[in-house]
Amino acid sequence: MKPISRRRFLKLAGYTGIFGLVASYPVFIERYLVVTNTYRIPVPHLPKAFSGFRIVQLTDLHYGNLVPLDLIRSVIARTNRIARDAIVCTGDYVSVRDYLHRKKAIEHIDAVWPVLAELRAPSGVFSVLGNHDHWANTTRSQHWLTQTGQDLRHKVVQIERDGSRLWLVGAGDLWEDHRELDGLIWKIPESDCRLVLAHNPDTADSDFSSRVDLMISGHTHGGQVDIPFIGTPILPVRNKIYSSGMKTSPRGTGIFISKGIGWAVYPVRFNCLPEIAVLELVPAGAGA
């Protein structure tokens, strides 16, 4: 066998190193590169008093499954440093993959929620649950919603500013505890602006007739892998339009979908950086 030359050895080693870096990037690097993205969101019926109202959205933290608590602590600390009026959290604070993992689920819930309890905002912090929170333990998850004062699950809350009102509606998780939105929204005056927190964006296509001015969701993780010219091969939603960013449902409802922080099934992100989303609300017609 002909011995390999030093030059050829170094060349092969270089190629191997580059390939290893490229292959490891989605697993070991990008999934930890949390960015802060600001979106200007036009909202129908938004009172002028709320023009420029800033909502920070956190979603899909998925503590567990290689999402360390230190990463979540960092995200919470960063969120508390952002100029904000309110914070909304749209579910999946822990991750449950199988029955054996479920046995430790309460420990994970009890570990992540004291960190979430550190969130602060002038107009309040409001949270709903996702499917993984129910798979982990609904009772314990609800305990922490109540304990932290962030509970918006199946509730409506109004925020007042200069005599005007903005309403937040907490939808149940579409897979695990869905309730028809009409049963919540009927309490809100017809002329008032309604924002719905719904973990799963498919909620926008559920059976309801009331007007929703903006739905804020997560669940998709942006697909986690976004291949140029191809898109996102895997999206855990029926309506494949609902990937990430600002979308419009077939009935005309505006939906903002965050890429979230963590991952659930596979610990990979490619061309889909985890995000802290900042939604700057403006009256409809002001431009996105």
Side-chain angles (χ1 to χ4, degrees):
M1 183 176 181
K2 185 179 180 180
I4 187 170
S5 68
R6 182 173 181 273
R7 181 179 179 182
R8 180 169 173 77
F9 172 79
L10 292 175
K11 190 174 182 180
L12 287 172
Y15 286 147
T16 301
I18 292 171
F19 176 79
L21 179 62
V22 171
S24 64
Y25 171 79
V27 179
F28 297 107
I29 300 176
E30 182 168 320
R31 62 184 177 136
Y32 292 110
L33 299 179
V34 181
V35 296
T36 300
N37 291 326
T38 300
Y39 303 86
R40 194 166 186 255
I41 308 293
V43 181
H45 301 92
L46 184 74
K48 290 182 179 179
F50 285 91
S51 183
F53 192 82
R54 288 167 64 89
I55 297 176
V56 179
Q57 180 196 6
L58 295 178
T59 194
D60 298 279
L61 280 77
H62 283 291
Y63 170 54
N65 287 359
L66 305 179
V67 179
L69 201 57
D70 282 346
L71 174 63
I72 295 173
R73 289 193 184 100
S74 173
V75 167
I76 299 305
R78 284 176 56 182
T79 299
N80 280 334
R81 292 195 296 267
I82 296 171
R84 65 207 179 281
D85 294 294
I87 297 173
V88 300
C89 302
T90 48
D92 277 7
Y93 311 107
V94 296
S95 188
V96 178
R97 296 184 66 180
D98 52 42
Y99 175 75
L100 292 176
H101 187 259
R102 216 170 271 139
K103 292 183 178 180
K104 292 186 177 180
I106 291 181
E107 295 177 18
H108 290 170
I109 293 170
D110 288 345
V112 75
W113 268 100
V115 182
L116 289 167
E118 296 174 8
L119 290 168
R120 298 287 185 271
S123 294
V125 180
F126 308 94
S127 301
V128 295
L129 299 180
N131 52 292
H132 279 259
D133 305 308
H134 290 286
W135 293 346
N137 190 288
T138 300
T139 301
R140 198 62 183 168
S141 296
Q142 180 61 53
H143 163 79
W144 280 105
L145 278 179
T146 305
Q147 183 77 12
T148 58
Q150 300 177 15
D151 187 10
L152 192 68
R153 179 186 173 216
H154 305 150
K155 293 179 171 62
V156 296
V157 171
Q158 63 175 324
I159 300 173
E160 294 191 11
R161 175 179 281 191
D162 298 334
S164 297
R165 296 177 297 192
L166 176 67
W167 291 82
L168 299 181
V169 180
D173 178 67
L174 184 64
W175 289 359
E176 297 299 326
D177 75 334
H178 177 64
R179 292 188 186 179
E180 290 187 3
L181 290 176
D182 289 334
L184 295 170
I185 295 177
W186 73 268
K187 306 172 185 178
I188 303 173
E190 179 62 31
S191 61
D192 286 4
C193 186
R194 302 102 172 257
L195 275 56
V196 172
L197 306 189
H199 175 69
N200 190 326
D202 276 330
T203 303
D205 299 338
S206 63
D207 186 18
F208 67 94
S209 59
S210 301
R211 191 192 79 246
V212 171
D213 296 306
L214 176 67
M215 187 170 288
I216 303 173
S217 299
H219 184 64
T220 68
H221 313 169
Q224 293 186 203
V225 173
D226 187 357
I227 303 173
F229 309 110
I230 295 176
T232 51
I234 300 176
L235 283 172
V237 285
R238 290 192 300 268
N239 191 333
K240 300 307 178 182
I241 295 175
Y242 300 154
S243 55
S244 65
M246 195 66 194
K247 305 296 180 181
T248 302
S249 77
R251 59 160 48 99
T253 301
I255 314 164
F256 178 81
I257 307 160
S258 171
K259 297 173 185 176
I261 300 296
W263 49 91
V265 178
Y266 49 100
V268 171
R269 277 189 183 255
F270 178 75
N271 196 29
C272 185
L273 290 169
E275 70 172 351
I276 301 170
V278 183
L279 282 58
E280 184 174 305
L281 309 185
V282 295

PDB file of all heavy atoms in Angstrom, residues 219-234:
ATOM      1  N   HIS A 219     -45.316  26.206  19.168  1.00  0.00           N
ATOM      2  CA  HIS A 219     -45.543  24.786  18.850  1.00  0.00           C
ATOM      3  C   HIS A 219     -44.701  24.272  17.685  1.00  0.00           C
ATOM      4  O   HIS A 219     -44.232  23.135  17.719  1.00  0.00           O
ATOM      5  CB  HIS A 219     -47.027  24.536  18.574  1.00  0.00           C
ATOM      6  CG  HIS A 219     -47.379  23.098  18.339  1.00  0.00           C
ATOM      7  ND1 HIS A 219     -47.229  22.123  19.307  1.00  0.00           N
ATOM      8  CD2 HIS A 219     -47.870  22.460  17.239  1.00  0.00           C
ATOM      9  CE1 HIS A 219     -47.622  20.956  18.822  1.00  0.00           C
ATOM     10  NE2 HIS A 219     -48.008  21.132  17.573  1.00  0.00           N
ATOM     11  N   THR A 220     -44.495  25.058  16.647  1.00  0.00           N
ATOM     12  CA  THR A 220     -43.837  24.543  15.443  1.00  0.00           C
ATOM     13  C   THR A 220     -42.317  24.538  15.535  1.00  0.00           C
ATOM     14  O   THR A 220     -41.656  23.831  14.777  1.00  0.00           O
ATOM     15  CB  THR A 220     -44.216  25.370  14.210  1.00  0.00           C
ATOM     16  OG1 THR A 220     -43.640  26.679  14.327  1.00  0.00           O
ATOM     17  CG2 THR A 220     -45.731  25.483  14.055  1.00  0.00           C
ATOM     18  N   HIS A 221     -41.751  25.361  16.397  1.00  0.00           N
ATOM     19  CA  HIS A 221     -40.291  25.572  16.472  1.00  0.00           C
ATOM     20  C   HIS A 221     -39.750  26.081  15.140  1.00  0.00           C
ATOM     21  O   HIS A 221     -38.548  25.967  14.869  1.00  0.00           O
ATOM     22  CB  HIS A 221     -39.533  24.312  16.854  1.00  0.00           C
ATOM     23  CG  HIS A 221     -40.101  23.571  18.013  1.00  0.00           C
ATOM     24  ND1 HIS A 221     -39.694  22.296  18.376  1.00  0.00           N
ATOM     25  CD2 HIS A 221     -41.050  23.905  18.930  1.00  0.00           C
ATOM     26  CE1 HIS A 221     -40.365  21.890  19.436  1.00  0.00           C
ATOM     27  NE2 HIS A 221     -41.200  22.844  19.784  1.00  0.00           N
ATOM     28  N   GLY A 222     -40.621  26.627  14.317  1.00  0.00           N
ATOM     29  CA  GLY A 222     -40.196  27.056  12.994  1.00  0.00           C
ATOM     30  C   GLY A 222     -39.812  25.905  12.090  1.00  0.00           C
ATOM     31  O   GLY A 222     -39.249  26.100  11.016  1.00  0.00           O
ATOM     32  N   GLY A 223     -40.129  24.673  12.533  1.00  0.00           N
ATOM     33  CA  GLY A 223     -39.733  23.484  11.785  1.00  0.00           C
ATOM     34  C   GLY A 223     -38.366  22.957  12.195  1.00  0.00           C
ATOM     35  O   GLY A 223     -38.001  21.837  11.841  1.00  0.00           O
ATOM     36  N   GLN A 224     -37.590  23.793  12.914  1.00  0.00           N
ATOM     37  CA  GLN A 224     -36.235  23.474  13.388  1.00  0.00           C
ATOM     38  C   GLN A 224     -35.209  23.357  12.260  1.00  0.00           C
ATOM     39  O   GLN A 224     -34.066  23.729  12.432  1.00  0.00           O
ATOM     40  CB  GLN A 224     -36.200  22.204  14.258  1.00  0.00           C
ATOM     41  CG  GLN A 224     -36.916  22.362  15.567  1.00  0.00           C
ATOM     42  CD  GLN A 224     -36.776  21.177  16.504  1.00  0.00           C
ATOM     43  OE1 GLN A 224     -37.601  20.984  17.359  1.00  0.00           O
ATOM     44  NE2 GLN A 224     -35.737  20.372  16.374  1.00  0.00           N
ATOM     45  N   VAL A 225     -35.603  22.848  11.133  1.00  0.00           N
ATOM     46  CA  VAL A 225     -34.711  22.743   9.978  1.00  0.00           C
ATOM     47  C   VAL A 225     -35.393  23.425   8.791  1.00  0.00           C
ATOM     48  O   VAL A 225     -36.480  23.022   8.377  1.00  0.00           O
ATOM     49  CB  VAL A 225     -34.403  21.271   9.635  1.00  0.00           C
ATOM     50  CG1 VAL A 225     -33.620  21.179   8.333  1.00  0.00           C
ATOM     51  CG2 VAL A 225     -33.640  20.610  10.771  1.00  0.00           C
ATOM     52  N   ASP A 226     -34.739  24.466   8.276  1.00  0.00           N
ATOM     53  CA  ASP A 226     -35.286  25.222   7.144  1.00  0.00           C
ATOM     54  C   ASP A 226     -34.268  25.142   6.011  1.00  0.00           C
ATOM     55  O   ASP A 226     -33.249  25.835   6.020  1.00  0.00           O
ATOM     56  CB  ASP A 226     -35.542  26.670   7.557  1.00  0.00           C
ATOM     57  CG  ASP A 226     -36.266  27.465   6.481  1.00  0.00           C
ATOM     58  OD1 ASP A 226     -36.526  26.912   5.398  1.00  0.00           O
ATOM     59  OD2 ASP A 226     -36.559  28.650   6.723  1.00  0.00           O
ATOM     60  N   ILE A 227     -34.527  24.282   5.047  1.00  0.00           N
ATOM     61  CA  ILE A 227     -33.586  24.023   3.966  1.00  0.00           C
ATOM     62  C   ILE A 227     -33.818  25.033   2.840  1.00  0.00           C
ATOM     63  O   ILE A 227     -34.950  25.160   2.341  1.00  0.00           O
ATOM     64  CB  ILE A 227     -33.761  22.593   3.424  1.00  0.00           C
ATOM     65  CG1 ILE A 227     -33.575  21.579   4.564  1.00  0.00           C
ATOM     66  CG2 ILE A 227     -32.773  22.318   2.296  1.00  0.00           C
ATOM     67  CD1 ILE A 227     -33.901  20.162   4.178  1.00  0.00           C
ATOM     68  N   PRO A 228     -32.784  25.777   2.438  1.00  0.00           N
ATOM     69  CA  PRO A 228     -32.952  26.749   1.353  1.00  0.00           C
ATOM     70  C   PRO A 228     -33.562  26.128   0.103  1.00  0.00           C
ATOM     71  O   PRO A 228     -33.178  25.036  -0.302  1.00  0.00           O
ATOM     72  CB  PRO A 228     -31.513  27.231   1.107  1.00  0.00           C
ATOM     73  CG  PRO A 228     -30.814  27.026   2.421  1.00  0.00           C
ATOM     74  CD  PRO A 228     -31.419  25.775   2.996  1.00  0.00           C
ATOM     75  N   PHE A 229     -34.524  26.831  -0.474  1.00  0.00           N
ATOM     76  CA  PHE A 229     -35.237  26.441  -1.695  1.00  0.00           C
ATOM     77  C   PHE A 229     -36.164  25.238  -1.496  1.00  0.00           C
ATOM     78  O   PHE A 229     -36.867  24.845  -2.418  1.00  0.00           O
ATOM     79  CB  PHE A 229     -34.261  26.139  -2.853  1.00  0.00           C
ATOM     80  CG  PHE A 229     -33.261  27.219  -3.098  1.00  0.00           C
ATOM     81  CD1 PHE A 229     -31.921  27.028  -2.790  1.00  0.00           C
ATOM     82  CD2 PHE A 229     -33.661  28.445  -3.607  1.00  0.00           C
ATOM     83  CE1 PHE A 229     -30.990  28.030  -3.006  1.00  0.00           C
ATOM     84  CE2 PHE A 229     -32.744  29.457  -3.833  1.00  0.00           C
ATOM     85  CZ  PHE A 229     -31.406  29.251  -3.529  1.00  0.00           C
ATOM     86  N   ILE A 230     -36.158  24.659  -0.313  1.00  0.00           N
ATOM     87  CA  ILE A 230     -37.037  23.520  -0.038  1.00  0.00           C
ATOM     88  C   ILE A 230     -38.039  23.872   1.056  1.00  0.00           C
ATOM     89  O   ILE A 230     -39.232  23.609   0.943  1.00  0.00           O
ATOM     90  CB  ILE A 230     -36.218  22.266   0.363  1.00  0.00           C
ATOM     91  CG1 ILE A 230     -35.367  21.809  -0.818  1.00  0.00           C
ATOM     92  CG2 ILE A 230     -37.147  21.144   0.831  1.00  0.00           C
ATOM     93  CD1 ILE A 230     -34.459  20.642  -0.510  1.00  0.00           C
ATOM     94  N   GLY A 231     -37.545  24.464   2.127  1.00  0.00           N
ATOM     95  CA  GLY A 231     -38.431  24.844   3.224  1.00  0.00           C
ATOM     96  C   GLY A 231     -38.254  23.946   4.432  1.00  0.00           C
ATOM     97  O   GLY A 231     -37.180  23.379   4.663  1.00  0.00           O
ATOM     98  N   THR A 232     -39.330  23.803   5.196  1.00  0.00           N
ATOM     99  CA  THR A 232     -39.303  23.040   6.445  1.00  0.00           C
ATOM    100  C   THR A 232     -39.965  21.682   6.224  1.00  0.00           C
ATOM    101  O   THR A 232     -41.190  21.601   6.098  1.00  0.00           O
ATOM    102  CB  THR A 232     -40.041  23.809   7.550  1.00  0.00           C
ATOM    103  OG1 THR A 232     -41.340  24.192   7.069  1.00  0.00           O
ATOM    104  CG2 THR A 232     -39.294  25.073   7.922  1.00  0.00           C
ATOM    105  N   PRO A 233     -39.189  20.600   6.179  1.00  0.00           N
ATOM    106  CA  PRO A 233     -39.756  19.269   5.890  1.00  0.00           C
ATOM    107  C   PRO A 233     -40.730  18.784   6.954  1.00  0.00           C
ATOM    108  O   PRO A 233     -41.658  18.034   6.651  1.00  0.00           O
ATOM    109  CB  PRO A 233     -38.524  18.357   5.834  1.00  0.00           C
ATOM    110  CG  PRO A 233     -37.354  19.264   5.636  1.00  0.00           C
ATOM    111  CD  PRO A 233     -37.726  20.544   6.313  1.00  0.00           C
ATOM    112  N   ILE A 234     -40.514  19.167   8.226  1.00  0.00           N
ATOM    113  CA  ILE A 234     -41.342  18.647   9.310  1.00  0.00           C
ATOM    114  C   ILE A 234     -41.987  19.793  10.073  1.00  0.00           C
ATOM    115  O   ILE A 234     -41.303  20.644  10.642  1.00  0.00           O
ATOM    116  CB  ILE A 234     -40.502  17.792  10.284  1.00  0.00           C
ATOM    117  CG1 ILE A 234     -39.871  16.610   9.550  1.00  0.00           C
ATOM    118  CG2 ILE A 234     -41.364  17.306  11.444  1.00  0.00           C
ATOM    119  CD1 ILE A 234     -38.946  15.771  10.393  1.00  0.00           C
TER     120      ILE A 234
END
